[in-house]
Amino acid sequence: MKYAMAIRENLSAIQSSFQSIFKERDDEIRGALLGIVSGEHVLFLGPPGTAKTYLAYTICKSIEGGTFYYYLLTRFTTPDEIFGPLSLKALEQDEFRRNIDGYLPTAHIALLDEIFKANSSILNSLLTILNERKFHNGKNILDVPLLSVFGASNELPEEDENLEALYDRFLFRYSIDYIQDEKNFFEYLTGSSDGFTPSTTLSVQDINAIRKKAQELPVDPDVLDSILALRKELWSMDIHISDRRWKKILHVLKVAAAANGDASVNRTMLPLLQHMLWIVPDQREQIRKRILDVAVSGGIDTYQLGGEVSDFDKISRSVQYSYDPGQKLPQVVTCKNCNDTFGTVWDLISHSEKNPSHKYYTNSNWQTYNATDTLRSLGMKPNTIDHSKYKMLIREYNEILEKKNRLKQSLDSETEDLKNHLNQNIWISRRDVDEILLRYEEKIRDLYTIEEKMANIEKSIEYRHKS
């Protein structure tokens, strides 16, 4: 346990030291570290001069004993420049083998600048290294020590460039812009990052320990439910995420929870998905808002639920019932078959629907009738619309009521847990934490409004439900 907490403290210290130098890069810093720890690749997409290369290079310094490889790709880059030159000694023996020392196959962390300039001559070997951590060197298949590759690009690949597989290998994606806040920009101008070295490091042994712990970590059921719901929503938005990415995403959540010292993957890890689900930058904000909403109360949309309540109220006011269900009977009605007594129309009709063969009588009339004739004998006149419409309305109301109760139960149960989990989560930015907590408060207010509307609806139709 102490070892796990030490790793968590190291990761938190690394993040803090980077945030003091790299302004407005909180998400990128956390994602870069998590990418390394989980063994996934990270894409920085943005214009030149946004510190993409320097961030990746200095992140490597946080890994104890890590070797770094950097190369700027062009369309004319050859395999020799990435994987190493051919061995002349091997050629003398009719063997095709490369001298890989100092090249990508021997690196722990690599930055490939202008990654989408990779041509077909290097693409297949690159994909194998990225996905399988294998390199085919002549007759030998070598295991590479690669922890993570950082890809940097000014633009996305064109659809007709056959780079979809390469793009899909980068699980974490960040669209980086120039510094926006004037205070941050001023600190950047007047500060110095030359020779920056993180104050704390993480060893490969630490990384392996986290990954081993992550394999056994359970995932909370509501996290899996949320992932399935998000997958359906993305489909409806015509955003199709490969099965491989979903599998890797779940692995990342488990690694993140393990590194955070959690006993399971809880819902506060879901905001990490915002950096792994978008395909083009225009989708980012919409996906982000939905994911942050899912992190609160399972993602029940209070705006939509409030709309359903309002629509139901309008419909209920326009429906005429066969009898006023909440109206009190002028006399007590008794069931001849089971001796049950009834004081309202709804009690009597509900009983008769469950027991259609039963007969009823009143204190003033001992003759027995069915429920409808009993009401007539009491001088109660039905409306023209059949009672079945009322039953349909009640079923619809019960569905809304069940959804509202789920929302209330979820909000009540996570009052303290949500704040504690968020504040202890080293992978979630302060911006996301504040927005999630704000969304939580908004849902609490929405719930009060919904409950007030539903109470008025029940009062207006004098609804009584007896199970």
Coordinates of all heavy atoms in Angstrom, one line a residue, residues 30-42 56 59-60 62-63 108-109 133 146-150 172 202 207 211 255:
R30 N -1.2 15.4 -18.1 CA -1.8 14.3 -17.5 C -1.9 13.1 -18.5 O -1.6 12.0 -18.2 CB -3.2 14.6 -16.9 CG -3.1 15.6 -15.8 CD -4.5 16.1 -15.4 NE -4.5 17.3 -14.7 CZ -4.4 17.4 -13.3 NH1 -4.2 16.4 -12.6 NH2 -4.4 18.6 -12.8
G31 N -2.4 13.5 -19.7 CA -2.5 12.4 -20.7 C -1.2 11.8 -21.2 O -1.1 10.6 -21.4
A32 N -0.2 12.7 -21.2 CA 1.1 12.2 -21.6 C 1.7 11.2 -20.6 O 2.2 10.1 -21.0 CB 2.1 13.3 -21.8
L33 N 1.5 11.5 -19.3 CA 2.0 10.6 -18.3 C 1.2 9.3 -18.2 O 1.7 8.2 -18.1 CB 1.9 11.3 -16.9 CG 3.0 12.2 -16.6 CD1 2.7 13.0 -15.3 CD2 4.4 11.5 -16.4
L34 N -0.2 9.5 -18.4 CA -1.0 8.3 -18.4 C -0.8 7.4 -19.6 O -0.9 6.2 -19.5 CB -2.5 8.7 -18.3 CG -3.5 7.6 -18.2 CD1 -3.2 6.7 -17.0 CD2 -4.9 8.1 -18.0
G35 N -0.5 8.1 -20.7 CA -0.2 7.3 -21.9 C 1.1 6.4 -21.7 O 1.1 5.2 -22.1
I36 N 2.1 7.0 -21.1 CA 3.3 6.2 -20.8 C 3.0 5.1 -19.8 O 3.5 4.0 -20.0 CB 4.4 7.2 -20.2 CG1 4.9 8.2 -21.3 CG2 5.6 6.4 -19.7 CD1 5.8 9.3 -20.8
V37 N 2.3 5.4 -18.7 CA 2.1 4.4 -17.7 C 1.2 3.3 -18.2 O 1.4 2.1 -17.9 CB 1.4 5.1 -16.5 CG1 1.0 4.0 -15.5 CG2 2.3 6.1 -15.8
S38 N 0.2 3.6 -19.1 CA -0.7 2.6 -19.6 C -0.2 1.9 -20.9 O -0.7 0.9 -21.4 CB -2.1 3.2 -19.9 OG -2.0 4.2 -20.9
G39 N 0.9 2.5 -21.5 CA 1.5 1.9 -22.7 C 0.7 2.3 -23.9 O 0.8 1.6 -24.9
E40 N 0.0 3.4 -23.9 CA -0.7 3.9 -25.1 C 0.0 5.1 -25.7 O 0.8 5.8 -25.1 CB -2.1 4.2 -24.7 CG -2.9 3.0 -24.2 CD -3.1 2.0 -25.3 OE1 -3.0 2.3 -26.5 OE2 -3.3 0.8 -24.9
H41 N -0.4 5.4 -26.9 CA 0.3 6.4 -27.7 C -0.5 7.7 -27.7 O -1.8 7.7 -27.5 CB 0.5 6.0 -29.1 CG 1.2 4.6 -29.2 ND1 2.4 4.4 -28.6 CD2 0.8 3.4 -29.7 CE1 2.8 3.1 -28.9 NE2 1.8 2.5 -29.5
V42 N 0.2 8.8 -27.8 CA -0.4 10.2 -27.6 C -0.2 11.0 -28.9 O 0.9 11.1 -29.4 CB 0.2 10.9 -26.4 CG1 -0.5 12.2 -26.1 CG2 0.1 10.0 -25.2
A56 N 6.9 16.6 -25.2 CA 7.1 15.2 -25.3 C 8.6 14.8 -24.9 O 8.8 13.8 -24.2 CB 6.9 14.7 -26.7
I59 N 8.9 15.1 -21.0 CA 8.1 14.0 -20.4 C 9.0 12.8 -20.3 O 9.0 12.1 -19.3 CB 6.8 13.7 -21.1 CG1 5.7 14.7 -20.8 CG2 6.4 12.3 -20.8 CD1 5.1 14.6 -19.5
C60 N 9.8 12.6 -21.3 CA 10.8 11.4 -21.3 C 11.7 11.5 -20.1 O 12.1 10.5 -19.5 CB 11.6 11.4 -22.6 SG 12.7 10.0 -22.6
S62 N 11.1 12.3 -17.2 CA 10.4 11.9 -15.9 C 10.5 10.4 -15.8 O 10.1 9.9 -14.7 CB 9.0 12.4 -15.9 OG 8.2 11.7 -16.9
I63 N 11.0 9.7 -16.8 CA 11.1 8.2 -16.7 C 12.6 7.9 -16.4 O 13.4 8.2 -17.2 CB 10.6 7.5 -18.0 CG1 9.2 8.0 -18.4 CG2 10.7 6.0 -17.9 CD1 8.2 7.7 -17.3
H108 N 12.5 3.9 -25.4 CA 11.4 3.8 -24.4 C 10.3 4.8 -24.8 O 9.1 4.4 -24.7 CB 11.9 4.1 -23.0 CG 12.8 3.0 -22.4 ND1 14.1 3.0 -22.6 CD2 12.5 1.9 -21.8 CE1 14.7 2.0 -22.0 NE2 13.7 1.2 -21.5
I109 N 10.7 6.0 -25.2 CA 9.7 7.0 -25.6 C 10.2 7.6 -26.9 O 11.4 7.9 -27.0 CB 9.5 8.1 -24.5 CG1 9.0 7.4 -23.2 CG2 8.5 9.1 -24.9 CD1 9.0 8.4 -22.0
R133 N 4.5 -4.0 -30.3 CA 5.8 -3.8 -29.6 C 6.8 -4.9 -30.2 O 7.6 -5.5 -29.4 CB 5.7 -3.9 -28.1 CG 4.7 -2.9 -27.4 CD 5.1 -1.5 -27.8 NE 4.6 -0.5 -26.8 CZ 3.3 0.0 -26.9 NH1 2.5 -0.4 -27.9 NH2 2.9 0.9 -26.0
L146 N 9.5 -0.1 -26.0 CA 8.7 1.1 -26.2 C 7.6 1.2 -25.2 O 6.8 0.3 -25.0 CB 8.1 1.1 -27.6 CG 7.5 2.4 -28.0 CD1 8.5 3.5 -28.2 CD2 6.8 2.2 -29.4
L147 N 7.6 2.3 -24.4 CA 6.5 2.6 -23.5 C 5.4 3.4 -24.2 O 4.2 3.1 -24.1 CB 7.0 3.4 -22.3 CG 8.0 2.7 -21.4 CD1 8.5 3.7 -20.4 CD2 7.3 1.6 -20.7
S148 N 5.8 4.4 -25.0 CA 4.8 5.2 -25.7 C 5.4 6.0 -26.8 O 6.6 6.4 -26.7 CB 4.1 6.2 -24.7 OG 3.1 6.9 -25.3
V149 N 4.6 6.2 -27.9 CA 5.1 7.1 -29.0 C 4.2 8.3 -28.9 O 3.0 8.2 -28.8 CB 5.0 6.4 -30.3 CG1 5.1 7.4 -31.5 CG2 6.0 5.3 -30.5
F150 N 4.8 9.5 -29.0 CA 4.1 10.7 -29.2 C 4.2 11.1 -30.6 O 5.2 11.2 -31.2 CB 4.8 11.8 -28.3 CG 4.6 11.6 -26.8 CD1 5.4 10.8 -26.1 CD2 3.6 12.3 -26.2 CE1 5.2 10.6 -24.8 CE2 3.4 12.1 -24.8 CZ 4.2 11.2 -24.1
F172 N -4.8 8.5 -27.1 CA -5.0 9.8 -26.6 C -4.8 10.9 -27.7 O -3.8 10.8 -28.4 CB -4.0 10.1 -25.5 CG -4.2 9.3 -24.2 CD1 -3.6 8.1 -24.1 CD2 -5.0 9.8 -23.2 CE1 -3.8 7.4 -22.9 CE2 -5.2 9.1 -22.0 CZ -4.6 7.9 -21.9
L202 N 9.9 8.6 -12.4 CA 9.1 7.3 -12.3 C 10.0 6.2 -13.0 O 10.5 6.4 -14.1 CB 7.8 7.4 -13.0 CG 6.7 6.5 -12.6 CD1 6.2 6.7 -11.1 CD2 5.5 6.6 -13.5
I207 N 6.2 1.5 -13.3 CA 5.1 1.4 -14.4 C 4.6 -0.1 -14.5 O 3.4 -0.3 -14.6 CB 5.7 1.9 -15.7 CG1 6.0 3.4 -15.6 CG2 4.8 1.5 -16.9 CD1 6.7 3.9 -16.8
R211 N 0.8 -1.5 -13.9 CA 0.1 -2.3 -14.9 C -0.4 -3.7 -14.3 O -1.5 -4.2 -14.6 CB 0.9 -2.5 -16.1 CG 1.2 -1.2 -16.9 CD 2.1 -1.5 -18.1 NE 2.4 -0.3 -18.8 CZ 3.2 -0.3 -19.9 NH1 3.7 -1.4 -20.4 NH2 3.5 0.9 -20.5
V255 N -5.8 1.2 -15.4 CA -4.4 1.7 -15.1 C -4.5 3.0 -14.3 O -3.8 3.2 -13.3 CB -3.5 1.9 -16.3 CG1 -2.2 2.6 -16.0 CG2 -3.3 0.5 -17.0

